[in-house]
Amino acid sequence: MSYSNPGPGDYGPPPQPGRAPAGGYAYPQSAPGYGYPNQGPGYPAAPPIGYPQGPGYGMPMQPSNGMGTAGLVLGIIGVVCSLTFFLWFFGVILGILGIIFGAIGRGKATRGEATNKGSATAGLVLGITATVILPLLGFLAFASLMSLA
């Protein structure tokens, strides 16, 4: 079928007499006499304020406590260094840094600015262990060996 008078944009059938051509993505007009004039298709109303919303599909909050994690890592390395005879000095330094970072991370987690309070606490405990307990035990072992000789 060929049209001798193409519609707007050179495609489709020619416009019908007495009716404006529907352009692009326009909604078709309702027949006269039904509803309000020039009313497009309706959309459902938003739920009233105060009703609970449905469950969300967002990502769960990831642990974000860099200070606590740094304290944990430094505490672990400090304990390992404190257990070795020739690296105990580095173990004490890393233990002190583990105490500092663990305390800062624990404070942030307590205020609600960060998560995973457990890793900050573990870094604090390991930092104390690497700084105080292991060097003290090493000193006591050395002193007991010297008293036996």
Side-chain angles (χ1 to χ4, degrees), residues 61-89:
M61 189 172 174
Q62 296 293 322
S64 62
N65 192 353
M67 291 289 192
T69 305
L72 178 64
V73 170
L74 289 172
I76 291 171
I77 296 172
V79 166
V80 171
C81 288
S82 290
L83 288 174
T84 60
F85 178 70
F86 56 93
L87 292 176
W88 68 270
F89 182 72

Side-chain angles (χ1 to χ4, degrees), residues 11-71:
Y11 59 89
Q16 299 294 324
R19 191 166 185 196
Y25 297 101
Y27 293 109
Q29 298 295 322
S30 62
Y34 296 103
Y36 295 106
N38 297 329
Q39 180 183 9
Y43 294 101
I49 297 175
Y51 286 147
Q53 297 294 324
Y57 294 101
M59 296 283 293
M61 189 172 174
Q62 296 293 322
S64 62
N65 192 353
M67 291 289 192
T69 305

Side-chain angles (χ1 to χ4, degrees), residues 87-108:
L87 292 176
W88 68 270
F89 182 72
F90 294 114
V92 170
I93 292 173
L94 292 175
I96 291 171
L97 291 174
I99 291 170
I100 292 170
F101 284 122
I104 292 172
R106 189 170 156 85
K108 281 187 173 186

